[in-house]
């Protein structure tokens, strides 16, 4: 169970780091995937959605983990899977993607796989 808890902490750290990065420099980061903000209100929205939401996810995972590592890992798995599946829909509907979008898909799928393996291992630890 200890390794599962560390994996959950890693998930929290990833979302927190991304959230902080998007709070500080949303325009610079999102330019790499061709997202542009045309006004100060658009930049504020990018900060809220890409920064605030990521920080909220980190906090939610941390709180879930305090109640139950399994709950936190299940939430992380659901979040990573939803992100990866939504990105795949985008690939299918919108056509060719940048190398960074493909790398993000790989990271999301990897996050889901790691959470799933940790969840499965925690099942064996309990049994």
């Amino acid at each position: 169970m200890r390794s599962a808890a560390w994996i959950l902490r890693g998930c929290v750290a990833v979302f927190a780091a991304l959230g902080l990065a998007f709070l500080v420099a949303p325009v610079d980061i999102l330019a790499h995937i061709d997202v542009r903000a045309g006004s100060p209100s658009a930049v504020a929205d990018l900060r809220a959605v890409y920064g605030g939401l990521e920080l909220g996810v980190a906090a939610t995972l941390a709180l879930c983990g305090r109640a139950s590592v399994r709950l936190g890992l299940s939430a992380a798995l659901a979040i990573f899977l939803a992100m990866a599946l939504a990105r795949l829909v985008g690939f299918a509907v919108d056509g060719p993607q940048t190398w960074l979008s493909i790398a993000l898909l790989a990271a999301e799928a990897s996050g889901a796989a790691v959470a799933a393996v940790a969840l499965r291992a925690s099942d064996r630890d309990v049994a």
Side-chain angles (χ1 to χ4, degrees):
M1 191 65 120
R2 277 198 199 294
S3 61
W6 279 106
I7 288 169
L8 180 57
R9 288 183 191 111
C11 292
V12 169
V14 166
F15 282 106
L18 288 170
L20 289 172
F22 281 114
L23 277 178
V24 172
V27 174
D28 296 334
I29 295 169
L30 291 170
H32 294 288
I33 54 170
D34 297 329
V35 174
R36 306 224 187 316
S39 68
S41 125
V43 174
D45 196 59
L46 292 176
R47 285 183 207 282
V49 174
Y50 287 92
L53 186 61
E54 298 277 350
L55 289 171
V57 167
T60 300
L61 291 178
L63 291 170
C64 286
R66 288 184 61 148
S68 160
V69 171
R70 288 185 43 70
L71 177 62
L73 287 170
S74 296
L77 174 59
I79 291 163
F80 282 123
L81 272 178
M83 292 173 74
L85 290 173
R87 194 172 303 276
L88 282 172
V89 168
F91 286 11
V93 172
D94 303 320
Q97 300 293 313
T98 66
W99 69 268
L100 184 55
S101 291
I102 295 166
L104 290 170
L105 173 61
E108 292 153 359
S110 296
V114 168
V117 167
L119 193 56
R120 180 103 169 140
S122 72
D123 282 344
R124 285 192 299 268
D125 289 345
V126 172

